[in-house]
Amino acid sequence: MARVDAADKIAGRAVFTADVRLPGMCHAAVVRSPYPRAKIQAVDVSAALAVPGVITVVTGADLPERRFGRRVRDLPTLARGEARFCGERVAAVVAETREQAERAATRVVVEYAPLPAVLDAATALDPASPAVQTTPWSYPGAVVAEGTHNQQAHVEHGSREAAEAALQDAVFVVDRTYTTPTVHQGYLEPQAVVARIDTEGTVHVWMANKSPYALRRQLAEGFGLDPKAIVVHPVAIGGDFGGKGSPMDAPLCVELARAAGRPVRLVLRYPEDLAAANPRHPSRIRLRLGSDAAGRLLGLVSDAVLDGGAYAGFKPIPTVVPHGVEEPGRSYRIAAAHSSATVAYTNTVPRGHMRAPGSPQAVFAFESALDELAGLVGLDPVEMRRRNLLSTGEANPYGDAYVEARGRETLEAAIAAYRPVDAGPGERHGVGLALYDRQTPGGSTSLRLLPVPGGLVVEVGFPEQGSGTHTVVRDGLARALGLRPEAIAVRQVPTADLPHDDGVGGSRVTSSMSSAIAKAAEAWRSRTGDEAVLVVTEREQERPVTSYCVQLAQVAVDPESGRVRVLELLTAVDVAEVVNGRAHRMQLDGAAAMGYGYACLEDLDLRDGQVWAATLADYRLPTSAEVPRFRTVLVGGGRGLGALDVKSAGELANVPTAAAIANAVAAAAGVRVRDLPITAERVFVALSGR
Amino acid sequence: MRVRLRVNGEPFEATIAADTLLLDILRGQGLTGTKEGCGVGVCGACTVLENDLPVSACLRLAACCEGADVWTAEGVAEREPRLARAFEEHEAFQCGICTPGQLVAAAAYLSQDLPADEGSVRDFMAGNLCRCTGYGTIVEAVLGALRDA
């Protein structure tokens, strides 16, 4: 049976935020700073107010001092006093139409006094550089100590002394630095929000956001409101990939709705989204990795510096670090490892989360370095990994052990499935390999089951952001209750209607639905009358489950131009049960396509504090014509989580891709590209330098 | 100025400004299946048929569409149920934001008597970006619809 959301999405009937129309609704446009750092001397809104159709113009000085964020609350509604990045919101216009609002926004005259700006993370961490935030430790949720300079976060794992000593004892050591650029999530629906305040003062929000209950909390904290005074309404989400879990423009839109006394819709133009939303952190990672004469890993010292941009508020987790970057080499047995990660404040666009936050950066660095070390040892890259992959029962270098470690099986399955694809005439063929493992988390949610003639309706609190979340609930309940899927309708309801949900993200929806579905089916079967059933699940003490993903990239390098064609990406994935084969495959293919974009195409091209990839014509996403051929091998027999016995899928296949391709290019052309993206220019320069 | 065209088979007439986009008059009519993605004609989310050819409604001036026969995803899904069913069966969508544009582009492919091989479909559909699926199921849906034709 077709997915729950199929017919509406195919015929264009699904309602996304930009499609929401409310009675009396007006439209907003934003005035943004053209400077990375500038004092806002004065704002003259008189010309803007004179534009026909304009209802109100709001500046930072008009609004109360409030800060918002996913964890650290350092995001202002509008800049006040100082603009801290190029693209920061300085003022906003509300008008009868979007065009009128945009026209008026160009008439807002802001007098700026440019200030010395901090444009990269290395400069930022130099104590002599200007402070991006005066007292960042004073923000609610801040994790940095008083007196630190331009730090959003800093974490360390392991013993530095032990890791340094291990490197001293090593026979072979690589010491290399790898860099990755700022990239955009590439969702095709720009950030959008609609806000309405009803006569009782309740705030209603429709927003492209994957975690309605988290959004409600973020808004409640920032506005100092009871969460019950905020209702987040369901809408379809046009792609998330980690980029739609923050308050983003909601605080501003709520203030504008208050100021206008009418509902307000704010939809970003895509260039605004590219320049001023919450793209992935760029990284600079120095790895020192050493082995004995036989290639057994002895020591790792990793120093990662990430540019977090002007605000830390887009990172949700307690350490305020895109956590994947904390654990390079987590799939391997390394006698002594030390990892340090620092996220800097700079006067650039604030960075946020994107599909497996921190992992694509760390895995590109580590899996490249591992191949470089294999080269020193004189070992085949496959054999290098065979010797060092963890076995079941062993803890990884960061102290985590899982119920099973299926790296070896997954690697062997990938190798067994390998079939060479021919390169073109004059091209050099190469194969590269990389590996990643990711924990499967659980989560908490609530479901309400209502009887209807011939079946039941399930109310859920999380959106269908595309991965098939609502269909998982329908099909899971149908199986558990012995009903036909047609008898079950899934409906997302406003936040006021259910107690809680964790939202979509962290590759956890199917696993966390697993226990909710089992519990709901049980409650439904054992009810006595025809009443509705509400079940609430807490995140359980799960058994630690991880899933391995091995990618083999085949490339053809043109030695004349440096052009790299990725002929095939073969992905082997360690799985337990797969509840929806097609949806599972699309998670892997879509991720692999994204990994390919990260490896070869995408770069927001941040220079002089400004995003130069102004449109999707400059910021190139992979097309149907240029994505590599994807092949997938499922390595069954693993042990998953919950009643459905599943492992995570959504954030695996985008992670090892860049290293697999870099390793393949090195194999094909004999040159090592340590900076993403791997463009023809970079390969050409590397080839010329030999 | 006045503009007269046909939208999904029905006559449509509106008073517009000279810079009004086709995208805006369609969305203004409640035909929100035509999406604004990139706004510069590269993502394909706003693809509609204008006299059977796929165009980016975000770049097309409404004033230039005088007399045109315009079809949006809403109309195409109804006019070509077989194609819509192929999208459903092959699960040629995830989040749904690019899907209406993909459907319209696929309808254009089917109407042009082009070869029924994967490479040709991939080349033709390259003007419609999808960040979710990796394109495999979309290409399969178009090929499936071609086979059934």
Side-chain angles (χ1 to χ4, degrees):
Chain A
M1 190 191 172
R3 272 173 53 152
V4 169
D5 47 342
D8 283 347
K9 283 181 174 172
I10 291 165
R13 284 191 305 264
V15 176
F16 294 83
T17 306
D19 307 330
V20 171
R21 276 212 236 180
L22 302 177
M25 186 177 79
C26 37
H27 302 263
V30 177
V31 179
R32 297 177 182 278
S33 169
Y35 296 102
R37 183 166 175 242
K39 190 168 168 11
I40 300 167
Q41 312 264 50
V43 185
D44 180 357
V45 302
S46 54
L49 280 169
V51 171
V54 169
I55 296 159
T56 185
V57 182
V58 174
T59 72
D62 300 330
L63 298 177
E65 167 69 24
R66 291 189 173 114
R67 299 276 173 163
F68 295 84
R70 296 180 79 172
R71 171 96 195 169
V72 182
R73 279 167 46 206
D74 63 352
L75 291 158
T77 314
L78 288 171
R80 197 207 306 227
E82 183 176 318
R84 292 189 167 80
F85 72 96
C86 184
E88 180 161 21
R89 308 167 191 84
V90 171
V93 180
V94 181
E96 296 294 341
T97 71
R98 189 182 187 189
E99 290 67 29
Q100 289 167 336
E102 289 179 335
R103 207 161 293 151
T106 67
R107 309 272 163 87
V108 173
V109 182
V110 185
E111 197 185 311
Y112 295 100
L115 294 167
V118 183
L119 301 182
D120 66 87
T123 309
L125 297 176
D126 178 344
S129 65
V132 175
Q133 300 282 351
T134 330
T135 55
W137 48 86
S138 66
Y139 292 119
V143 293
V144 289
E146 186 166 347
T148 50
H149 184 68
N150 283 338
Q151 279 191 20
Q152 294 187 358
H154 176 79
V155 290
E156 293 187 27
H157 297 287
S159 156
R160 186 90 181 185
E161 292 70 28
E164 293 283 2
L167 288 178
Q168 288 294 318
D169 293 342
V171 177
F172 298 104
V173 176
V174 288
D175 178 353
R176 292 294 187 184
T177 298
Y178 304 86
T179 72
T180 63
T182 304
V183 298
H184 191 270
Q185 291 85 358
Y187 40 72
L188 292 180
E189 175 207 31
Q191 302 274 349
V193 54
V194 177
R196 176 174 82 90
I197 298 160
D198 71 19
T199 48
E200 268 127 61
T202 303
V203 175
H204 298 267
V205 174
W206 292 254
M207 185 171 182
N209 184 292
K210 64 178 179 167
S211 308
Y213 290 82
L215 173 63
R216 183 177 72 167
R217 175 182 54 76
Q218 292 153 6
L219 293 176
E221 285 171 356
F223 283 118
L225 287 171
D226 181 342
K228 290 196 174 65
I230 298 164
V231 180
V232 180
H233 293 265
V235 278
I237 297 176
D240 156 42
F241 315 114
K244 290 179 177 164
S246 77
M248 196 52 73
D249 297 303
L252 175 60
C253 203
V254 169
E255 294 286 11
L256 295 177
R258 274 202 186 120
R262 288 166 58 179
V264 173
R265 185 165 86 195
L266 172 54
V267 181
L268 297 194
R269 298 288 184 186
Y270 212 93
E272 294 179 275
D273 205 309
L274 286 171
N278 67 151
R280 177 183 277 158
H281 291 67
S283 70
R284 181 173 195 87
I285 302 176
R286 180 183 176 200
L287 288 186
R288 288 179 293 146
L289 181 64
S291 74
D292 66 12
R296 282 183 291 262
L297 297 176
L298 297 178
L300 167 69
V301 175
S302 167
D303 291 294
V305 176
L306 279 69
D307 187 341
Y311 298 99
F314 290 104
K315 286 180 279 287
I317 67 163
T319 59
V320 193
V321 171
H323 44 285
V325 81
E326 297 176 29
E327 303 183 323
R330 56 167 273 143
S331 313
Y332 298 93
R333 187 185 311 112
I334 306 174
H338 180 262
S339 158
S340 144
T342 306
V343 185
Y345 273 114
T346 65
N347 291 111
T348 62
V349 57
R351 304 317 195 288
H353 270 193
M354 179 172 171
R355 206 168 195 166
S359 296
Q361 296 95 320
V363 170
F364 169 62
F366 186 86
E367 290 286 317
S368 296
L370 192 58
D371 260 39
E372 297 204 59
L373 183 61
L376 289 183
V377 178
L379 269 185
D380 175 77
V382 178
E383 187 52 35
M384 185 77 185
R385 287 170 177 81
R386 281 185 184 129
R387 285 189 192 179
N388 291 291
L389 277 168
L390 292 169
S391 301
T392 295
E394 287 181 288
N396 74 17
Y398 305 100
D400 297 319
Y402 296 93
V403 294
E404 58 185 5
R406 304 182 76 225
R408 278 295 296 273
E409 285 127 294
T410 313
L411 175 66
E412 301 306 339
I415 301 300
Y418 172 72
R419 303 284 178 276
V421 178
D422 289 339
E427 290 179 324
R428 296 188 201 151
H429 180 269
V431 192
L433 161 71
L435 177 145
Y436 171 59
D437 87 284
R438 178 179 189 83
Q439 184 168 1
T440 300
S444 63
T445 191
S446 41
L447 302 173
R448 185 182 285 109
L449 279 57
L450 307 157
V452 292
L456 60 111
V457 169
V458 191
E459 294 181 343
V460 301
F462 54 87
E464 167 57 81
Q465 98 290 21
S467 60
T469 56
H470 290 181
T471 306
V472 164
V473 173
R474 182 196 65 187
D475 293 353
L477 264 177
R479 252 193 307 272
L481 293 172
L483 293 172
R484 290 173 309 116
E486 293 87 330
I488 300 176
V490 181
R491 193 164 66 201
Q492 189 192 344
V493 293
T495 48
D497 294 9
L498 282 171
H500 178 74
D501 175 74
D502 277 353
V504 176
S507 301
R508 76 173 160 255
V509 177
T510 305
S511 64
S512 50
M513 279 311 116
S514 192
S515 58
I517 289 167
K519 203 170 163 185
E522 179 54 40
W524 185 255
R525 274 192 301 260
S526 57
R527 81 208 163 112
T528 49
D530 210 18
E531 73 276 12
V533 162
L534 173 70
V535 296
V536 180
T537 61
E538 295 305 321
R539 182 168 181 172
E540 291 158 22
Q541 195 58 43
E542 304 106 14
R543 60 182 185 184
V545 166
T546 193
S547 183
Y548 282 80
C549 173
V550 173
Q551 268 175 340
L552 284 184
Q554 293 189 55
V555 303
V557 178
D558 173 15
E560 303 259 316
S561 66
R563 185 189 65 178
V564 175
R565 286 195 305 130
V566 181
L567 304 168
E568 183 183 273
L569 269 176
L570 171 66
T571 303
V573 180
D574 154 29
V575 297
E577 289 297 316
V578 174
V579 297
N580 178 337
R582 190 133 38 191
H584 186 260
R585 188 195 120 193
M586 275 199 281
Q587 284 299 312
L588 298 173
D589 283 4
M594 195 175 278
Y596 164 71
Y598 190 55
C600 296
L601 303 178
E602 297 174 33
D603 182 354
L604 276 175
D605 193 13
L606 203 88
R607 280 178 282 139
D608 308 325
Q610 188 179 338
V611 169
W612 282 83
T615 72
L616 278 183
D618 309 297
Y619 188 79
R620 286 186 51 224
L621 299 176
T623 69
S624 57
E626 70 188 326
V627 288
R629 187 166 88 186
F630 303 125
R631 265 210 301 145
T632 302
V633 179
L634 300 184
V635 188
R639 295 169 67 198
L641 210 60
L644 292 175
D645 189 24
V646 290
K647 292 193 177 200
S648 71
E651 297 171 283
L652 288 173
N654 61 310
V655 176
T657 322
I661 292 172
N663 289 340
V665 169
V671 293
R672 172 61 57 181
V673 180
R674 299 187 184 89
D675 308 289
L676 294 182
I678 304 166
T679 57
E681 289 84 345
R682 285 205 164 111
V683 175
F684 179 81
V685 167
L687 282 166
S688 312
R690 282 173 68 229
Chain B
M1 60 194 294
R2 285 303 273 178
V3 64
R4 282 169 302 269
L5 55 154
R6 293 179 75 79
V7 176
N8 296 332
E10 303 287 328
F12 173 76
E13 198 172 335
T15 301
I16 56 165
D19 62 353
T20 301
L21 298 169
L22 178 58
L23 174 74
D24 295 325
I25 62 168
L26 295 172
R27 291 184 58 81
Q29 282 300 296
L31 292 169
T32 51
T34 307
K35 305 296 181 191
E36 177 179 330
C38 68
V40 294
V42 299
C43 79
C46 66
T47 308
V48 297
L49 297 178
E50 182 185 339
N51 301 329
D52 294 330
L53 291 176
V55 300
S56 293
C58 76
L59 293 184
R60 192 78 179 129
L61 288 173
C64 298
C65 300
E66 175 69 26
D69 184 30
V70 171
W71 286 81
T72 69
E74 290 93 337
V76 168
E78 215 161 278
R79 190 182 80 180
E80 303 191 33
R82 195 171 36 77
L83 178 61
R85 205 162 45 243
F87 267 63
E88 234 180 73
E89 281 166 5
H90 292 272
E91 230 166 270
F93 69 94
Q94 285 196 359
C95 81
I97 198 78
C98 75
T99 313
Q102 303 276 2
L103 184 82
V104 172
Y109 192 86
L110 262 57
S111 73
Q112 287 184 20
D113 199 27
L114 292 164
D117 66 278
E118 181 180 338
S120 304
V121 171
R122 284 186 177 272
D123 285 344
F124 187 90
M125 300 290 288
N128 290 78
L129 297 175
C130 172
R131 189 61 152 173
C132 293
T133 62
Y135 300 106
T137 57
I138 297 172
V139 174
E140 284 162 19
V142 179
L143 289 170
L146 281 164
R147 270 195 305 273
D148 296 347

